[in-house]
Amino acid sequence: MPAAWSDDAPVLNLSTEKELQHLLDDVGLGLWEYDHDADRLTWNATLQSLIPGDFPAPGGACLADWYARIHPDDLPALAQAVHLAIEEGQPFFIEYRLMRAQGGPLWLAARGHVAVRDARGQPLRIFGTQNDISQRKLQESLFRLQQRFNAVLLDSPDQDVLVGAMLDAMLGLDELDSGGLYELRPDGGFRLVASRGIGVRFVDEVAQIDPGSPRALLLQAGHTLCSCVEGGPACTHPDLVRQAHLQEEGLTSLIVLPIVIDGRVHAGLNLARLSGGALSARQCRLLAQEIRHAEFCVLWHGAGGQYA
């Protein structure tokens, strides 16, 4: 075990650990430290770069500040892990979601160990590492989406069941709350054929899209659109989600995914967030990849409920 991690080691001075820092940067690991006496949590530059200017504050943060930013579903397990590390000396490893001031939660894998204690055995310093696992967590969610969708297909569902299963699967992804599938009408307009997570009055308002209208033209353009109240790198149409009827429904982010078959737009899948911040570019790319489930639904419908 490196001396810096033994119970009687001096406090780790990150400014003199350049080689270690370069190695950790190469593998995407950041270092964090908690000073018990000062109740002060600090993250190194690698960790801070994940949420620049957000957390912790320039002067550091206390343990309660950290806990306040952890997703409520993940906080009990993390707090218990830290408690056991302090009381029983157990190193801990836990995955949790850190709530960002802007954007969705950030999945982190945290490791920690009480590295320095006083003569009475009371903890003085916890040192640890954290790394971003958001990509892996999203891939795991997409895998579960595929499994759920495949399970429905085994029952040879009708169109309504299939479309509903597709929407339920997509909305099973973290940070998505509502959505709807539009199909192209013969006159060039679109009709809403299924929806989840939105109010009845809102459905009535958006159920039909007239041919030649701005909304119809956006769908027919065949491009993925992202609109977020907060803006952000992935936001291509910032004003779209700011429309009055969307704000009344409480949408904070919206992604419009065209369903293109043989070079022609046949439908559009709208997915939305009712809370939280902007969708990330990575989320938008992965959602665009998963549009094949909706494409299958449209092909199934066009084939009269048979595999096309």
Side-chain angles (χ1 to χ4, degrees), residues 127-145:
F127 294 138
T129 63
Q130 298 195 57
N131 63 292
D132 182 1
I133 58 170
S134 301
Q135 176 75 11
R136 173 169 66 79
K137 285 294 186 179
L138 186 54
Q139 292 287 359
E140 290 173 355
S141 294
L142 292 172
F143 176 76
R144 290 192 294 270
L145 180 158

Side-chain angles (χ1 to χ4, degrees), residues 26-280:
D26 288 343
V27 297
L29 283 176
L31 298 179
W32 65 279
E33 174 185 343
Y34 178 62
D35 181 333
H36 285 259
D37 286 345
D39 187 21
R40 185 171 181 267
L41 179 76
T42 54
W43 288 12
N44 74 339
T46 300
L47 277 180
Q48 291 186 41
S49 69
L50 298 176
I51 44 174
D54 186 350
F55 182 86
C62 66
L63 191 64
D65 294 332
W66 184 32
Y67 283 2
R69 298 296 290 273
I70 294 172
H71 193 287
D73 292 344
D74 303 332
L75 179 57
L78 187 143
Q80 177 69 4
V82 173
H83 173 76
L84 291 175
I86 293 172
E87 297 299 324
E88 301 180 13
Q90 298 182 8
F92 66 86
F93 169 75
I94 194 163
E95 298 177 349
Y96 74 97
R97 284 162 289 183
L98 184 78
M99 307 305 293
R100 292 180 282 193
Q102 292 187 345
L106 180 73
W107 272 103
L108 295 171
R111 293 171 172 82
H113 173 68
V114 178
V116 184
R117 296 180 184 268
D118 63 18
R120 297 172 299 161
Q122 296 301 307
L124 296 178
R125 295 284 195 279
I126 292 179
F127 294 138
T129 63
Q130 298 195 57
N131 63 292
D132 182 1
I133 58 170
S134 301
Q135 176 75 11
R136 173 169 66 79
K137 285 294 186 179
L138 186 54
Q139 292 287 359
E140 290 173 355
S141 294
L142 292 172
F143 176 76
R144 290 192 294 270
L145 180 158
Q146 180 70 60
Q147 294 299 100
R148 289 195 295 269
F149 192 74
N150 289 345
V152 172
L153 289 180
L154 292 175
D155 293 330
S156 299
D158 60 22
Q159 172 69 5
D160 290 341
V161 171
L162 186 64
V163 170
M166 180 273 297
L167 277 175
D168 289 339
M170 297 294 283
L171 295 177
L173 298 174
D174 285 344
E175 305 167 34
L176 293 174
D177 305 299
S178 61
L181 178 68
Y182 284 90
E183 283 190 342
L184 182 67
R185 300 189 323 222
D187 64 357
F190 292 84
R191 67 184 184 94
L192 185 66
V193 295
S195 64
R196 293 288 189 275
I198 53 180
V200 175
R201 188 178 70 175
F202 183 76
V203 169
D204 290 340
E205 292 178 0
V206 301
Q208 301 292 334
I209 300 178
D210 293 333
S213 66
R215 292 171 59 205
L217 294 176
L218 282 175
L219 282 173
Q220 290 172 340
H223 304 301
T224 297
L225 311 176
C226 180
S227 182
C228 306
V229 170
E230 295 180 355
C235 185
T236 59
H237 293 69
D239 293 333
L240 185 61
V241 78
R242 298 191 178 109
Q243 296 178 70
H245 68 291
L246 299 182
Q247 286 301 290
E248 289 175 5
E249 187 65 15
L251 273 64
T252 61
S253 295
L254 172 68
I255 182 169
V256 179
L257 301 162
I259 299 172
V260 181
I261 300 171
D262 294 332
R264 178 169 172 262
V265 174
H266 284 252
L269 179 64
N270 292 4
L271 300 172
R273 175 184 291 170
L274 301 178
S275 61
L279 292 167
S280 69

